Amino acid sequence: MHQIIDGKKISAKIKEEVKAEVALLKEKGISVGLAVVLVGEDPASKVYVGNKKKACEALGIASFEYLLPESTSEDELLALVEKLNADKAVDGILVQLPLPSHLDEKKVINAISPDKDVDAFHPVNVGKIMIGNYTFAPCTPAGIIELIERSGISIEGKSCVVIGRSNIVGKPMSMLLLHKNATVTICHSRTKDLSDVVRGADIVVAAVGRAKFVTADMVKDGAVVIDVGINRMADGKLCGDVDFESVAPKCSYITPVPGGVGPMTIAMLMKNTVAAAKNKI
């Protein structure tokens, strides 16, 4: 019988811990602040930014919001990032992606101080994750590690397959699992006999961006399955990269969509912001 890994419940617990940490820091005269920059009118990005603002308010973190028009030039955006780098009230800087096409995402990410890069996308932080000497990791992979460990699942010695090799999830996810002493295989669109590779895994992380890509015949009995995907079906309902209905009966543990990995991302962003604040003490 499979168990559902409840991301809402685990993220709420992490937020409680963060709130307590923020309160302790305030007692020592240290405030925690997060700056969020949004360029343009992307509806999904607006929702994300609103959710981040609400989370900050609930946890006692100061929220600095910069809503810039679509026409903002690269120089203007880089100047704002430099200003935030120098602002002592700002511990974390998050530039909401994707940016409008005339702005160079790589250049903008590289301009954020690595000490304030709470998304952990800066090349310095990527390198630190590679060698295992990091203050914070990208929010979604870090949240997945929390989901697994707080569910009482041991990662050490397990065979883990990550499907997807993006810089945001797949690559950092594989490194975090490796640091937990897992044996890690990364699969992608060019992987031969992908089903056979996935079938050998104790833990499967699906981050491929294709609805119901992982089916029951690809998963061994008793596997732990973490579904990172968020796909909208023709009927408007959300589904993940895993065909939940067929896969769940074979699993020991599985995350649902929605309510699994999704809620963890903002919780880990808050945790990273507090880590950045503590790092400057």
Side-chain angles (χ1 to χ4, degrees):
M1 181 65 188
H2 67 274
Q3 289 194 46
I4 301 288
I5 299 177
D6 188 342
K8 288 181 183 174
K9 190 174 175 183
I10 293 171
S11 67
K13 181 78 175 73
I14 290 169
K15 285 179 182 173
E16 279 173 27
E17 293 165 6
V18 169
K19 189 175 182 178
E21 276 198 277
V22 171
L24 279 175
L25 288 169
K26 279 192 177 161
E27 283 175 19
K28 297 176 185 173
I30 300 157
S31 62
V32 182
L34 173 67
V36 180
V37 180
L38 173 62
V39 184
E41 299 290 324
D42 182 74
S45 292
K46 277 186 154 179
V47 171
Y48 291 142
V49 168
N51 288 342
K52 285 162 189 172
K53 188 178 180 182
K54 280 183 205 161
C56 283
E57 286 168 0
L59 304 184
I61 295 172
S63 174
F64 307 100
E65 197 175 61
Y66 296 86
L67 305 177
L68 307 180
E70 183 99 17
S71 59
T72 300
S73 72
E74 198 167 275
D75 286 345
E76 287 170 324
L77 181 54
L78 292 172
L80 173 59
V81 169
E82 281 308 313
K83 180 185 153 197
L84 297 174
N85 282 340
D87 190 339
K88 288 186 167 60
V90 174
D91 298 295
I93 301 169
L94 186 148
V95 177
Q96 186 68 44
L97 302 178
L99 289 170
S101 57
H102 67 283
L103 301 173
D104 185 339
E105 283 186 6
K106 195 183 287 186
K107 195 184 279 189
V108 174
I109 288 166
N110 289 359
I112 298 170
S113 163
D115 294 332
K116 296 189 177 188
D117 166 42
V118 286
D119 261 337
F121 292 162
H122 192 286
V124 167
N125 287 326
V126 173
K128 285 182 172 183
I129 292 160
M130 190 75 174
I131 61 175
N133 178 30
Y134 52 93
T135 305
F136 29 72
C139 299
T140 300
I144 290 166
I145 295 291
E146 294 279 357
L147 283 177
I148 294 169
E149 293 191 328
R150 288 175 186 246
S151 298
I153 301 159
S154 172
I155 297 171
E156 184 166 343
K158 297 284 175 66
S159 170
C160 298
V161 167
V162 178
I163 312 172
R165 53 178 167 179
S166 72
N167 291 333
I168 294 172
V169 180
K171 289 178 192 172
M173 186 75 249
S174 64
M175 292 314 303
L176 297 189
L177 289 166
L178 193 59
H179 294 320
K180 295 289 182 180
N181 298 315
T183 300
V184 185
T185 303
I186 306 172
C187 292
H188 45 79
S189 58
R190 301 287 190 276
T191 301
K192 290 181 179 175
D193 304 319
L194 187 141
S195 293
D196 289 343
V197 177
V198 176
R199 208 175 293 116
D202 302 310
I203 299 172
V204 178
V205 180
V208 73
R210 287 171 61 184
K212 302 186 179 184
F213 178 80
V214 177
T215 51
D217 62 306
M218 295 168 68
V219 178
K220 76 174 182 181
D221 289 335
V224 174
V225 175
I226 308 293
D227 191 348
V228 185
I230 300 178
N231 309 285
R232 196 167 289 281
M233 304 299 285
D235 60 5
K237 289 182 180 175
L238 291 178
C239 79
D241 290 352
V242 175
D243 182 14
F244 185 89
E245 299 304 322
S246 72
V247 172
K250 295 187 77 174
C251 299
S252 55
Y253 292 84
I254 188 168
T255 60
V257 176
V261 174
M264 297 298 292
T265 304
I266 287 180
M268 298 310 295
L269 174 65
M270 301 296 118
K271 191 170 181 173
N272 282 354
T273 304
V274 172
K278 287 161 75 175
N279 214 27
K280 73 181 182 187
I281 298 169

